[in-house]
């Protein structure tokens, strides 16, 4: 009876006592669940298809901008809404530059093919948010985030900025067009966005 | 007690709790609580503007004021309201609960002045538009140097208060103001204070360089800033958790006479919080280009989820203590008689239970799930994030702070709680509002709706995008839940301010059962039966009600967690 007290009371004597059966069971169950939570992450690296590892490197904003310009010069097929439209060959390195307040350039990819998508910013932090699939990555100036991506569905995707980047944050939308597998050489696409 | 100390300190004895209370401690609790409530008011006014803007059909604020008030809301709520309140908690858990004097009253008042000066500087900067950088102030976004200086002054003040709390423990031990070990509530507050010191050192490591950078003295790497900033920003949430869990134990004791089921388990769980906190910074960097997968996996899980384990342990021991405390009052029938007969009209008790459920079921589950390295791909910077932390730090921590205030008003301020009828429904209005708010925000986030975004209609953007119509519904619900919660906060503020400044004084020695304006636990405690027979019976049954509750919790957790893996498995292959 003396041993029953509230948490406001300074316990006297030795309180380091064995726990009851129910507490022991709950602690054990919780511990096992925590281990499962932990194991899922390495497991998904081995078995799963979506991991944020990527190829990570530092890059000077100027250097990244030059790579983007070269990339556009190599594969440009037109322009849309004021940004170049670029159709790189499957398997290539693809560049997407974030800046206040634009995703630059717009990309044309092919379904089922793998690309390395390089993300970086030349000013402040931005956030890569792919719609309607809701895939998200942080875009940090000075860092090149190279993600191996394999679009698994054709469609006209949008890129939204989801890291606050100043007063024009809400103007920052971009485009990734994924063509159905095996469709002929990419043709220029009509002006204007969908929907 | 040494003679010198006896002369310096002035005490009164509380007739209800029997605690011996130092005048300075009492006054410091008062001023910190008052400033805390003022900043809460600023934060909640901003919140109303924010929800009414994110509700795309209303879209109230112009773009610059949206981000300005977002900055103000984050700072006033997360930093000022919470931390001033925690300063009050430290003075309560230290000097008051241990019956000790404040060791260095002058320094204590000095640190309060420092915090206040810092707060004022920050407010001026934010509201004059010189710090439209949100509370994270990620460089290269730059605020006026005074902004960083204000934060530093505030943090130094808070650091001193935690040091004073530590000193109180030493003085109390030396002057033998209590016997045995410190009470569990004080122990929990001690872990909060230790975490606060680690956290505030991270704060120095990041805000001092940021100040130098804003003055053009040094350069600052944006990714290193994010790493260190979240060493401060996320670890400080661990302060809140430790403080909130301590308050759960405190309120359990005050409202229904909850017992500590096992000191060893509860204290060990608190220690686990201290061990792993700095790692939580990783939660914000899971889809960043700065770190590799091994670092991310290890850190995001706090070294294999041991801090999560700690919360799951408290999630059992707190309700189990309440259940035992109530069973000892004779509510021994069935699994849930104790829960049915609990004092639900006591705002302290209602707030405690809602805080426990919202924090665990919504906050905990969503947090651990989206803090999983790969699942974060679906959640980073979407509305799932504010959906999550409004369940933890708002539905959990802030609600527990409000609930305990209903006890601080009579016990410390010695006033009746004003607007008593409203005060009694306040925790329900707040709890239900924030639950609707958090869940609908989370759903909007599952569609990928970004957080911190002024206009998701993209009306002026070069490439148009329209979210599915369900998102409109979710944002409308978010606004309605948010406005309910905001109304509840206003009721709370009105009640607290009227009680403290214009309230009816209370003679704590003359309380009568069922008195209006006095939380039930203080007046209507049905006696606990301590005859060995009852105790044996209660011990034999254990806490079956709690076992059912935690089993349901685990089931929901597992389902939500694996649903997210399923959702992840259908998006583009990424690696
Ligand atoms: C009382 C009702 C409250 C309402 C209606 C509310 C509403 C909101 C809204 C609408 C946002 C903006 C979400 C976005 O667009 O990204 C927000 C952000 C936030 N809220 Fe609250 N909030 C409330 C209380 C609180 C409290 C008590 C705290 C802290 C203790 C808090 C902490 C935050 C933080 C840290 C942010 C993030 C700011 C940022 O992204 O920079 N809120 N809140
Ligand atoms: Cu941006």
């Amino acid at each position: 009876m003396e041993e029953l007290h509230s948490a406001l009371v300074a316990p006297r004597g030795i309180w380091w006592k064995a726990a009851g059966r129910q507490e022991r069971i709950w602690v054990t169950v919780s511990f096992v669940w925590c281990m499962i939570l932990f194991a899922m992450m390495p497991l998904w690296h081995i078995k799963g298809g979506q991991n944020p590892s990527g190829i990570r490197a530092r890059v000077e904003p100027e250097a990244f901008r030059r790579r983007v310009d070269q990339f556009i010069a190599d594969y440009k097929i037109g322009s849309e809404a004021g940004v170049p439209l670029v159709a790189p060959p499957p398997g290539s390195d693809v560049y997407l530059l974030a800046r206040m307040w634009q995703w630059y350039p717009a990309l044309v990819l092919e379904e089922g093919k793998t690309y390395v998508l390089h993300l970086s910013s030349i000013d402040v932090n931005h956030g890569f948010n792919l719609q309607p699939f809701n895939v998200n990555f942080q875009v940090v100036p000075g860092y090149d985030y190279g993600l191996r991506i394999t679009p698994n569905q054709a469609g006209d995707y949008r890129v939204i900025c989801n890291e606050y980047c100043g007063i024009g944050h809400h103007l920052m939308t971009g485009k990734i067009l994924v063509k159905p597998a095996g469709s002929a050489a990419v043709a220029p696409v009509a002006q204007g966005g969908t929907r | 007690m040494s003679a010198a100390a006896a002369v310096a300190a002035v005490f009164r004895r509380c007739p209800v709790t029997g605690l011996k209370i130092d005048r300075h401690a009492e006054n410091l609790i008062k001023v910190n609580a008052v400033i805390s409530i003022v900043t809460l008011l600023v934060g909640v006014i901003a919140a109303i503007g924010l929800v009414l803007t994110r509700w795309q059909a209303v879209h109230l604020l112009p773009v610059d004021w949206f981000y300005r008030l977002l900055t103000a809301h984050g700072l006033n709520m997360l930093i000022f309201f919470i931390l001033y309140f925690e300063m009050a908690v430290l003075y309560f858990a230290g000097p008051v609960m241990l019956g000790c004097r404040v060791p260095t009253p002058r320094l204590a008042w000095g640190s309060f002045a420092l915090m206040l000066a810092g707060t004022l500087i920050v407010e001026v900067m934010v509201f004059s538009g010189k710090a439209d950088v949100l509370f994270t102030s990620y460089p290269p976004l730059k605020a006026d140097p005074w902004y960083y200086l204000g934060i530093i002054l505030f943090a130094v003040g808070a650091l001193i208060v935690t040091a004073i709390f530590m000193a109180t423990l030493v003085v109390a031990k030396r002057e033998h103001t209590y016997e045995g070990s410190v009470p569990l509530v004080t122990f929990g507050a001690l872990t909060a204070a230790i975490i606060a010191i680690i956290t505030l050192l991270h704060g120095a490591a990041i805000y001092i360089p940021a100040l130098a950078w804003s003055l053009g003295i040094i350069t600052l790497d944006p990714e290193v800033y994010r790493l260190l900033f979240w060493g401060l920003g996320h670890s400080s949430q661990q302060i809140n958790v430790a403080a909130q869990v301590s308050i759960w134990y405190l309120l359990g004791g005050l409202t229904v006479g909850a017992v500590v089921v096992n000191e060893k388990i509860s204290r060990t769980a608190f220690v686990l919080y201290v061990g792993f906190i700095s790692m939580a910074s990783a939660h914000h960097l899971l889809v960043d280009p700065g770190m590799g997968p091994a670092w991310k996996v290890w850190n995001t899980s706090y070294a294999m989820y041991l801090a999560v384990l700690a919360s799951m342990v408290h999630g059992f021991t707190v309700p189990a203590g309440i259940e035992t405390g109530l069973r000892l009052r004779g509510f021994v029938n069935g699994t849930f008689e104790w829960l049915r007969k609990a004092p639900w009209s006591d705002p302290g008790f209602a707030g405690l239970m809602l805080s426990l459920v919202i924090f665990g079921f919504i906050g905990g589950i969503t947090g651990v799930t989206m803090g999983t390295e790969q699942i974060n791909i679906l959640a980073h910077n979407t509305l799932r994030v504010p959906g999550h932390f409004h369940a933890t730090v708002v539905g959990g921590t802030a609600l527990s702070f409000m609930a305990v205030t209903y006890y601080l008003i009579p016990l410390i301020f010695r006033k009746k709680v004003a607007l008593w009828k409203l005060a009694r429904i306040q925790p329900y209005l707040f709890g239900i509002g924030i639950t609707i708010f958090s869940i609908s925000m989370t759903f909007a986030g599952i569609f990928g709706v970004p957080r911190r975004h002024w206009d998701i209609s993209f009306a002026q953007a070069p490439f148009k995008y329209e979210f599915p119509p369900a998102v409109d519904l979710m944002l409308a619900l978010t606004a309605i839940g948010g406005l309910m919660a905001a109304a509840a906060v206003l009721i709370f503020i009105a009640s607290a301010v009227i009680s403290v400044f214009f309230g009816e004084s209370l003679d704590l020695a003359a309380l009568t059962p069922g008195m209006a304006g006095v939380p039930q636990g203080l007046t209507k405690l049905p006696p606990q039966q301590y005859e060995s027979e009852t105790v044996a019976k209660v011990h034999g049954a254990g806490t079956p009600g709690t076992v059912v509750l935690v089993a349901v919790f685990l089931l929901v957790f597992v389902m939500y967690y694996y649903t997210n893996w399923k959702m992840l498995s259908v998006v583009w292959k990424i690696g």
Side-chain angles (χ1 to χ4, degrees):
Chain A
M1 292 119 280
E2 21 67 48
E3 61 174 283
L4 289 178
H5 60 266
S6 85
L8 283 82
V9 174
R12 303 196 186 181
I14 295 163
W15 44 260
W16 188 264
K17 295 199 179 112
R21 201 173 59 92
Q22 287 168 346
E23 289 118 281
R24 281 209 306 274
I25 294 173
W26 176 248
V27 173
T28 312
V29 168
S30 302
F31 184 75
V32 170
W33 174 236
C34 287
M35 291 306 116
I36 295 173
L37 289 174
F38 183 73
M40 278 305 293
M41 292 186 284
L43 201 67
W44 200 264
H45 273 285
I46 301 165
K47 296 266 179 204
Q50 296 79 14
N51 288 289
S53 314
I55 306 158
R56 304 171 315 277
R58 281 183 190 261
V59 63
E60 284 303 314
E62 249 331 290
F64 192 80
R65 187 216 293 268
R66 278 197 300 277
R67 279 180 221 170
V68 175
D69 287 341
Q70 185 61 47
F71 167 69
I72 293 171
D74 289 349
Y75 304 119
K76 180 169 171 178
I77 57 165
S79 74
E80 193 176 330
V83 289
L85 193 63
V86 183
S92 63
D93 285 293
V94 174
Y95 293 86
L96 186 57
L97 177 149
R99 64 180 168 206
M100 291 159 147
W101 291 288
Q102 198 177 48
W103 293 101
Y104 183 82
L107 302 170
V108 181
L109 307 178
E110 200 180 318
E111 181 188 351
K113 295 290 190 308
T114 299
Y115 304 81
V116 180
L117 173 65
H118 293 270
L119 300 171
S120 192
S121 160
I122 55 165
D123 40 51
V124 299
N125 274 273
H126 296 277
F128 175 89
N129 169 242
L130 183 73
Q131 290 297 346
F133 257 167
N134 186 24
V135 162
N136 303 280
F137 291 97
Q138 185 79 17
V139 184
V140 184
Y143 289 80
D144 174 1
Y145 207 167
L147 294 159
R148 286 178 217 85
I149 56 163
T150 315
N152 59 2
Q153 234 178 72
D156 187 7
Y157 294 86
R158 288 289 166 271
V159 181
I160 292 170
C161 180
N162 69 3
E163 182 62 80
Y164 170 68
C165 54
I167 203 82
H169 179 38
H170 59 285
L171 302 174
M172 199 166 154
T173 59
K175 167 177 172 126
I176 300 181
L177 182 70
V178 177
K179 312 211 62 161
S183 59
V186 261
V189 188
Q191 290 294 116
T194 45
R195 298 211 231 179
Chain B
M1 185 192 291
S2 75
V7 174
V10 183
F11 288 97
R12 75 172 169 90
R13 187 168 289 279
C14 172
V16 175
T17 54
L19 294 169
K20 203 170 109 225
I21 304 175
D22 173 11
R23 262 300 127 71
H24 283 298
E26 188 166 21
N27 289 333
L28 284 160
I29 291 174
K30 287 183 183 174
V31 289
N32 278 291
V34 167
I35 302 296
S36 171
I37 285 181
V38 172
T39 54
L40 176 64
L41 180 63
V42 178
V44 83
I45 291 170
I48 294 171
L50 297 179
V51 278
L52 288 179
T53 307
R54 297 266 4 204
W55 187 1
Q56 207 63 47
V58 179
H59 212 234
L60 180 71
L61 296 172
V63 58
D64 50 348
W65 273 97
F66 175 75
Y67 294 119
R68 198 159 297 152
L69 289 187
L70 189 54
T71 310
H73 176 71
L75 289 165
N76 275 288
M77 291 299 208
L78 194 67
I79 315 286
F80 298 146
F81 155 60
I82 293 274
L83 276 163
Y84 278 112
F85 202 93
E86 280 165 357
M87 299 301 111
V89 169
L90 286 182
Y91 285 117
F92 185 83
V96 173
M97 287 202 43
L98 298 178
C100 180
R101 64 197 168 86
V102 175
T104 51
R106 255 199 232 130
L107 190 61
W109 285 104
S111 62
F112 174 72
L114 218 51
M115 290 174 73
L116 199 59
T119 307
L120 287 173
I121 293 172
V122 169
E123 300 285 7
V124 168
M125 286 298 113
V126 169
F127 281 98
S128 62
K130 289 186 182 147
D132 289 340
V133 290
L134 309 191
F135 81 98
T136 43
S137 57
Y138 294 138
L141 283 180
K142 197 183 282 184
D144 192 291
W146 279 97
Y147 167 79
Y148 306 98
L149 186 68
I151 301 267
I152 291 170
L153 292 181
F154 177 83
V156 170
L159 195 56
I160 297 174
V161 177
T162 50
I164 292 174
F165 171 78
M166 302 288 184
T168 309
L169 298 186
V170 176
V171 171
K173 186 102 218 161
R174 204 191 296 139
E175 297 179 356
H176 303 292
T177 63
Y178 67 99
E179 278 174 59
S181 311
V182 295
L184 181 57
V185 172
T186 307
F187 188 83
L190 171 62
T191 59
I194 294 172
I195 298 168
I197 288 177
I198 304 172
T199 299
L200 291 165
L201 291 177
H202 281 101
I206 197 57
Y207 275 102
I208 292 170
L211 173 62
W213 166 76
S214 72
L215 291 166
I217 301 170
I218 59 166
T219 59
L220 202 54
D221 183 286
E223 186 70 69
V224 172
Y225 177 94
R226 282 171 58 77
L227 174 70
L228 287 177
F229 177 84
W230 286 113
L232 161 76
H234 207 109
S235 311
S236 63
Q237 301 319 307
Q238 237 69 15
I239 312 177
N240 300 340
V241 173
Q244 159 203 298
V245 174
S246 307
I247 287 176
W248 287 348
Y249 283 113
L250 174 67
L251 276 173
L254 289 173
T255 56
V256 298
V259 301
V260 180
V261 181
N262 185 297
E263 293 274 359
K264 176 177 80 173
I265 290 210
S266 295
R267 287 176 198 236
T268 309
F270 272 122
V271 172
L272 284 180
Y273 281 147
V274 180
F276 306 104
I277 40 149
S278 303
M279 310 174 84
S281 171
H283 295 180
H284 302 260
L285 310 179
L286 291 174
V287 293
D288 267 42
M291 307 292 170
W295 183 91
K296 288 175 179 175
V297 167
W298 180 252
N299 284 281
T300 194
S301 69
Y302 303 96
M304 310 175 103
Y305 289 106
L306 293 181
V308 173
L309 179 66
S311 286
M312 288 177 77
V313 169
H314 290 304
F316 183 94
T317 55
V318 171
I322 293 169
E323 177 170 0
T324 309
L326 285 164
R327 281 175 181 273
L328 285 173
R329 293 174 198 288
F331 305 141
V332 289
N333 296 323
T335 314
F336 286 120
E337 192 197 11
W338 61 277
L339 201 56
R340 279 199 312 278
K341 302 233 169 116
W344 291 103
S345 61
D346 174 345
F349 183 78
L352 158 64
M353 294 309 270
L354 287 165
S355 160
L356 187 62
V357 169
I358 295 171
F359 182 85
F361 275 79
I362 308 177
I365 291 175
T366 56
V368 173
T369 302
M370 75 183 172
T372 304
E373 188 202 8
Q374 295 91 346
I375 293 175
N376 193 253
I377 294 173
L378 298 177
H380 181 68
N381 276 354
T382 68
L383 279 182
R384 287 177 71 168
V385 178
H388 151 72
F389 66 68
H390 282 82
T392 52
V393 73
V394 188
T397 309
L399 181 51
S400 75
F401 287 6
M402 294 192 248
V404 81
T405 304
Y406 291 121
Y407 276 78
L408 291 182
I409 290 170
L411 290 179
I412 296 293
F413 290 92
R414 283 173 286 169
K415 294 285 172 82
K416 282 191 181 175
V417 178
L419 307 180
W420 180 233
K421 287 219 175 90
L422 281 175
R424 283 172 22 157
I425 58 159
Q426 189 270 343
Y428 294 99
L429 185 62
F430 187 78
I432 294 168
I434 217 71
T435 300
I436 297 173
F437 178 85
S438 286
I439 291 179
S440 41
M441 236 187 191
T442 298
F443 273 109
I446 286 173
F447 285 103
V449 178
R451 69 183 287 198
R452 302 177 149 183
H453 202 286
W454 177 65
D455 181 19
I456 60 154
S457 76
F458 305 106
Q460 303 146 17
F463 296 101
K464 305 288 175 243
Y465 182 70
E466 229 174 77
F467 281 102
V471 164
D472 290 330
L473 177 66
M474 287 306 141
L475 291 176
L477 285 175
T478 302
I480 290 165
L483 291 176
M484 281 170 70
V489 171
L490 293 176
I491 291 175
F492 167 77
I493 294 174
S495 164
V497 170
I498 296 174
S499 312
V500 168
F501 292 107
F502 314 103
E504 201 181 317
S505 294
L506 188 63
D507 180 2
L508 284 174
L511 295 183
T512 55
M515 203 175 196
V518 183
Q520 179 142 7
L522 292 176
T523 56
K524 277 213 286 200
L525 277 178
Q528 284 177 330
Q529 297 156 31
Y530 281 105
E531 313 88 68
S532 41
E533 207 183 306
T534 320
V535 174
K537 216 153 80 197
V538 169
H539 265 307
T543 54
T546 302
V547 170
V548 172
L549 294 179
V550 295
V552 173
F553 168 77
L554 192 61
L555 193 72
V556 176
F557 198 164
V558 173
M559 278 168 30
Y560 184 78
Y561 181 70
Y562 280 104
T563 308
N564 271 273
W565 282 112
K566 179 78 201 140
M567 289 189 328
L568 180 67
S569 69
V570 302
V571 305
W572 291 6
K573 292 259 179 303
I574 302 164

